[in-house]
Amino acid sequence: MNGAHDLGGTDGFTLPQREAEGPILKKEWERLVWGLVWSLRVPGISRGGRAAMEQSIPPALYLSLPYYARWLYRAEQSVLESGLVTVEELENPDGPLSVPDIPDFEPPGPEIIVDGFLASDFCAELDVDLPPQFSVGDAVIARNEHPVGHTRAPRYVRGRRGTIHLDHGVHEFQDQLPPGVERKAQHLYSVMFTGRELWGSRGGSKDRVYVDLWDDHLQAVA
Amino acid sequence: MADDKPAQADYDLRTRALVSVLTRKGLVDPAAMDAVVEYHERQVGPHIGAGLVARSWVDPDYRRRLLADARAVAREENVTGFQSTDLVAVANTPSVHNLVVCTLCSCYPWSVLGLPPTWYKDSAYRARAVIEPRNVLREFGLDLDDEVEVRVWDSTAEVRYLVIPQRPPGTDGMSVEQLTALVTRDSMIGAETLAVSGQK
């Protein structure tokens, strides 16, 4: 979707100062939110983090929220939409609570969340033998598509001509697909675009932007 | 609460309410929450990436393997993790400068750098790094020569990028441990180059 999260090339923002190295989670609520979003792996509400999170926040709100407040908003939305928690319960957290309808549910502990997930040797490249549609060096065009669902093809590359720089192997396609369309694994590439191709005369003649795109995002140059 | 009311809400109160309700309902294990923060604050961090970089400066074979297949090298050293096992290393040289961004979100190589700094997640950085990387770098204090090629890596998939900065001058004879201490977080994102302290 053409959401506010798709920021590449947007003008008008003021760059912050780079902060010194040190703790990233600075406030207690930020630590709680971060711990919560990764521990909240309850059947029915643990959805793909980025895809679900970015596109469900209204654009004006998205741009106004600090980073961890976006996670908080999304966590609230998830548990409310799934019916596990009600607005009344969040407004009166010490009051009476309904019992969630998940028989025999045990919340996952540290060994499942950290050792088994966050720190695991999880590899996105799939061990699947599929022929690539493109080879390194091929000229390609990023398809000019504007799907209503989540897509990993940023607006600024659509319709632009690039060159296959690396083949990352076979990955799960991450775009949201229309109902009934089967998700198929496919090759993922690093595609090089020149600054001039992306930004016209404003693009630097020695600037290159490399974007990770899947087979279905690309078409061959005729 | 979860409506469209902008920013002024009390994040602290909202967070406590959410955590309290989910904990009381038995949907979240507070020990898991603590462990997540502990993992991201203490176990992973830029010291891990710095170790890989420093070794690449002193061991040409290691550098060659790191640039060819960073994932394999990281796995040998048990540097893995959700959304950062698929690692690609890119090297700065006198003629090429690399910069990493995620324009759609804030994807970042957690396993080698820990959680991303605030500036990396800022809308301004995400918006501008791809269209005017040299201006961004200049505002960050790095004025690149016009002849240097700038390569911006937009992390739009599950692959994560680690910049191998150039080894600073005047560091001949230093141990890997001493070199590791010179490597900054921001240099491994491409936001700065390295100088020995006192130079620059």
Side-chain angles (χ1 to χ4, degrees):
Chain A
M1 73 183 302
N2 293 335
H5 67 282
D6 187 359
L7 281 165
T10 307
D11 285 320
F13 292 108
T14 303
L15 204 62
Q17 295 234 317
R18 287 188 290 126
E19 73 268 26
E21 289 184 34
I24 301 297
L25 299 162
K26 297 184 179 74
K27 302 187 177 107
E28 185 55 24
W29 72 267
E30 295 175 337
R31 298 163 62 87
L32 285 170
V33 165
W34 193 248
L36 180 68
V37 294
W38 296 104
S39 303
L40 195 56
R41 300 186 64 74
V42 180
I45 59 168
S46 56
R47 299 179 229 165
R50 179 162 67 172
M53 175 180 149
E54 299 297 341
Q55 68 185 41
S56 63
I57 306 180
L61 182 62
Y62 178 87
L63 290 172
S64 74
L65 290 180
Y67 179 76
Y68 292 105
R70 291 178 190 154
W71 287 96
L72 169 61
Y73 178 92
R74 185 59 218 163
E76 288 172 337
Q77 292 281 51
S78 284
V79 295
L80 290 171
E81 284 169 15
S82 61
L84 290 170
V85 166
T86 65
V87 173
E88 293 70 30
E89 288 171 336
L90 290 183
E91 285 172 348
N92 183 18
D94 300 322
L97 300 176
S98 62
V99 179
D101 185 19
I102 310 177
D104 301 325
F105 178 75
E106 277 288 321
E111 65 291 339
I112 293 174
I113 298 296
V114 175
D115 309 328
F117 179 59
L118 286 177
S120 67
D121 185 9
F122 171 86
C123 190
E125 184 180 349
L126 303 171
D127 189 14
V128 177
D129 193 15
L130 272 177
Q133 302 295 306
F134 305 99
S135 304
V136 170
D138 282 1
V140 292
I141 292 175
R143 292 179 183 276
N144 181 28
E145 291 294 340
H146 295 255
V148 292
H150 176 79
T151 178
R152 299 296 181 86
R155 253 176 292 184
Y156 73 87
V157 301
R158 298 178 198 166
R160 300 296 172 199
R161 184 180 169 133
T163 306
I164 303 286
H165 174 69
L166 291 171
D167 183 341
H168 292 307
V170 176
H171 287 238
E172 198 74 60
F173 192 48
Q174 299 289 335
D175 285 21
Q176 187 181 336
L177 299 170
V181 177
E182 192 189 346
R183 182 172 299 280
K184 50 184 203 301
Q186 49 194 279
H187 277 259
L188 173 74
Y189 312 89
S190 170
V191 183
M192 186 277 282
F193 298 88
T194 66
R196 287 283 156 84
E197 171 69 13
L198 294 176
W199 315 111
S201 58
R202 188 167 158 197
S205 63
K206 302 210 78 167
D207 294 354
R208 308 273 182 271
V209 181
Y210 297 75
V211 183
D212 287 336
L213 298 168
W214 280 257
D215 273 322
D216 281 358
H217 291 139
L218 301 169
Q219 62 191 79
V221 172
Chain B
M1 216 72 8
D3 57 19
D4 295 357
K5 260 183 231 144
Q8 312 319 323
D10 189 330
Y11 301 132
D12 195 57
L13 274 180
R14 276 169 56 195
T15 303
R16 283 174 197 287
L18 186 61
V19 169
S20 168
V21 168
L22 290 169
T23 308
R24 284 179 62 207
K25 288 193 180 214
L27 294 170
V28 165
D29 180 355
M33 290 177 54
D34 290 344
V36 168
V37 173
E38 158 82 17
Y39 169 71
H40 277 134
E41 291 209 316
R42 306 216 177 272
Q43 288 175 251
V44 293
H47 61 282
I48 297 175
L52 304 182
V53 168
R55 208 171 139 199
S56 80
W57 287 342
V58 301
D59 182 342
D61 180 58
Y62 183 87
R63 177 185 172 90
R64 190 181 48 71
R65 288 193 300 124
L66 190 63
L67 293 174
D69 190 351
R71 183 172 72 193
V73 173
R75 274 186 159 162
E76 283 169 19
E77 306 190 16
N78 290 318
V79 177
T80 57
F82 171 67
Q83 294 222 342
S84 39
T85 295
D86 297 81
L87 194 66
V88 169
V90 291
N92 287 347
T93 69
S95 57
V96 172
H97 185 86
N98 293 281
L99 182 68
V100 180
V101 67
C102 173
T103 61
L104 297 177
C105 185
S106 302
C107 297
Y108 189 74
W110 291 348
S111 64
V112 286
L113 297 184
L115 294 179
T118 303
W119 64 262
Y120 183 87
K121 297 174 289 202
D122 192 276
S123 296
Y125 181 71
R126 291 168 48 198
R128 294 176 55 194
V130 287
I131 186 170
E132 46 177 17
R134 285 168 206 270
N135 289 346
V136 167
L137 289 170
R138 197 172 295 118
E139 288 179 40
F140 278 163
L142 175 61
D143 207 351
L144 289 177
D145 191 280
D146 289 346
E147 291 308 303
V148 173
E149 179 177 316
V150 174
R151 298 180 182 173
V152 182
W153 301 84
D154 190 353
S155 318
T156 49
E158 314 320 304
V159 176
R160 297 291 173 267
Y161 293 92
L162 176 72
V163 176
I164 309 295
Q166 292 186 77
R167 180 172 176 166
T171 57
D172 293 355
M174 280 192 182
S175 69
V176 170
E177 289 70 29
Q178 288 171 314
L179 291 168
T180 300
L182 297 177
V183 183
T184 62
R185 173 194 69 202
D186 290 359
S187 74
M188 292 182 281
I189 311 172
E192 66 180 357
T193 55
L194 297 173
V196 183
S197 56
Q199 294 186 3
K200 188 120 189 174

